[in-house]
Amino acid sequence: MATLLELRELRVAYPPTETSSAATVVVDGVSFCVAAGERLGLVGESGCGKSTIAKAILQLLPPGSQVSGAITLQGQSLLGLTSSQLQRLRGEQIGLVFQDPLSRLNPLMSVYDHCDELLRSHRPALGRSQRRQRIVDVLDRVRIPANRLHQYPHELSGGMRQRVAIALALLLHPPLIIADEPTTALDVTVAAEILAELTRLCQEEQRGLLLISHDLALMAKYCDRLAVMHQGKIVEVGTACQVLQRPQHPYTQSLLAAGQLPCRPSPPLDATPALLQVRNLRRHYRLGGWLQPQTTIRAVDGVNLTLHRGETLGLVGESGCGKSTLSRLILQLIPAHAGEVVFLGRNLSQLPAAQLRTARRDLQMIFQDPHACLNPKMTVEQNLLEPLLIHRLMAKEAAQERVRQMLTQVELTPAAAYLHRYPHALSGGQRQRVAIARALITHPQLVVCDEPVSMLDAHIQRQVLALMQQLKEQLQLTYLFITHDLAVARSFCDRIAVMYAGQIVELAPTAQLFACPQHPYTQKLLAAAL
């Protein structure tokens, strides 16, 4: 097979920062190639340099970054391209699926607007009807129905936003696709379908695929070869079978061991008082309007749940089934159309604004996307200080000390090295840990966790989950744990509720649900994941 992409001795160093006078080497002498039609998986822990490689290929590194070595695509050097050449490169020659879909999507543009803008910019000869047909075709491939065309990013679930990002990468038929954690926000069934589509396109149209992920099981299924990265270097390369079945490097061996999560035994909860009760909760959306047929989306459709004090209740289901909408209803971030949320004996929907604000000290959320709770114009210290100062929980000096303690607890050490950094200067995993620290810093009683470890590699997942369990016991927390990762749910949750099409279709202790699933949808989920 002809070589499509080649990296030779690539070295990337980020410019000095306020806390460091020297450049930081992130990628150190990396070499690999991707052939036409080949699928290469790049795997490693958060912060090891995987995403930096993708940014270097597309010349998206921060100003002042130092790059040496060679990057060629179809024999052409990608270093030193002009602005017009870079514009053609991005999208036409290389399609990039970002780890965080919100960094790709403009909140003021609809799904259709995003796609149409890309086609008008790169394919000006196409007429309006031709552009629309191509948009509908590509969105259909990633399971986005036509009635979602005119929705905006905030109206979509995290998984749906990621599907839009994947569609944008496919729209111009580039010969190479770089997918940076493309299924982080997707459930196992949709992730399998999307990756099956990506790999089919690579094989049929001889496209190259560079798949960046920390999910070794996913890599094994969809990649021809794997390159394992650790501390900026490639430590092992081989076929997927060789690397996973006969790993040679100690780091690869530790990655495989970290991916094996045991099933969590379920404690008795009958005598434990209820902390939260959700009763017949409903939230519907109407789509369409002028010249568009109206459709009702039953995002949450008569949900009943009880969370016992001290338990971890897992909520699983496919992307778009209503999990995140339910979490926002519980937190009163959006109003319900019917039903009630009773927390600590009080119906939250009936509380005055002042009392609801006070209640939120005891009711916090770890968002799926850390950008949703971290202000990009504020440092890590300022982001963590904010909730303490807003709720007037302590004086500023004591709050600053509490921030340092929380950073240490979420494994961001030394804390002083992170205090004055901004979210964009952190890896995806580091940002997620800051988001976890922000949620826990007020010592809440209930924490709604919306995919809190989805952006972390297996090593860091284990550390963070262990930390969350430790904090739960120390601070007597209760977790509503939303995830599409059934292995994580199995190891971390006491009970699991399965959500499908806005309803809870099955709820059981974790071990019982995995051993004997009752609902056909639960059986389908488990079959896709195990």
Side-chain angles (χ1 to χ4, degrees), residues 28-264:
D28 191 9
V30 165
S31 299
F32 63 79
C33 60
V34 179
E38 182 186 24
R39 298 155 293 173
L40 175 67
L42 185 60
V43 64
E45 66 187 357
S46 175
C48 71
K50 306 187 302 296
S51 296
T52 297
I53 288 178
K55 293 175 183 177
I57 293 170
L58 281 165
Q59 304 295 287
L60 294 174
L61 294 169
S65 298
Q66 303 169 16
V67 182
S68 61
I71 306 173
T72 59
L73 179 69
Q74 295 177 321
Q76 176 190 7
S77 174
L78 301 186
L79 299 180
L81 295 180
T82 65
S83 296
S84 60
Q85 288 172 326
L86 284 173
Q87 184 178 8
R88 290 193 298 270
L89 172 75
R90 299 166 184 160
E92 292 185 21
Q93 295 175 273
I94 302 177
L96 178 61
V97 182
F98 289 87
Q99 179 181 17
D100 169 23
L102 285 183
S103 64
R104 181 70 172 89
L105 302 177
N106 186 329
L108 301 179
M109 295 171 62
S110 68
V111 173
Y112 180 85
D113 292 337
H114 278 95
C115 298
D116 193 55
E117 180 187 58
L118 188 63
L119 287 176
R120 284 189 286 108
S121 175
H122 290 270
R123 298 287 186 267
L126 290 177
R128 183 177 180 180
S129 61
Q130 291 174 304
R131 295 197 307 271
R132 181 181 176 84
Q133 188 57 53
R134 181 173 294 189
I135 291 168
V136 171
D137 290 344
V138 172
L139 292 178
D140 183 63
R141 288 186 178 187
V142 295
R143 288 187 58 194
I144 297 179
N147 63 8
R148 296 290 188 116
L149 272 177
H150 300 287
Q151 285 192 288
Y152 291 83
H154 74 273
E155 298 177 294
L156 305 174
S157 68
M160 194 69 77
R161 286 196 294 262
Q162 192 71 301
R163 285 188 245 178
V164 174
I166 292 171
L168 288 168
L170 297 175
L171 200 59
L172 299 176
H173 304 297
L176 174 67
I177 295 172
I178 300 176
D180 187 354
E181 300 281 6
T183 58
T184 292
L186 305 181
D187 62 272
V188 289
T189 53
V190 177
E193 292 168 4
I194 286 179
L195 287 174
E197 177 65 21
L198 278 173
T199 52
R200 183 188 67 79
L201 288 169
C202 290
Q203 292 173 326
E204 291 182 358
E205 302 175 14
Q206 287 299 287
R207 301 186 190 201
L209 174 63
L210 177 59
L211 180 61
I212 300 172
S213 178
H214 59 257
D215 191 330
L216 282 172
L218 176 145
M219 293 291 205
K221 189 171 183 180
Y222 295 103
C223 294
D224 304 311
R225 292 189 301 135
L226 295 181
V228 182
M229 196 167 180
H230 181 52
Q231 296 182 345
K233 298 178 182 289
I234 300 292
V235 297
E236 187 164 353
V237 181
T239 66
C241 182
Q242 289 171 343
V243 172
L244 293 178
Q245 295 185 10
R246 297 181 297 278
Q248 301 299 308
H249 196 274
Y251 176 70
T252 310
Q253 295 168 358
S254 68
L255 269 186
L256 289 168
Q260 305 302 316
L261 296 172
C263 183
R264 178 177 174 80

Side-chain angles (χ1 to χ4, degrees), residues 347 378 520:
N347 186 348
M378 294 170 62

Side-chain angles (χ1 to χ4, degrees), residues 13 29 49 69 71 137 167 198 295 325 382 406 422 425 483:
I71 306 173
D137 290 344
L198 278 173
T295 306
T325 300
Q382 291 168 336
M406 281 304 308
Y422 288 86
T483 183

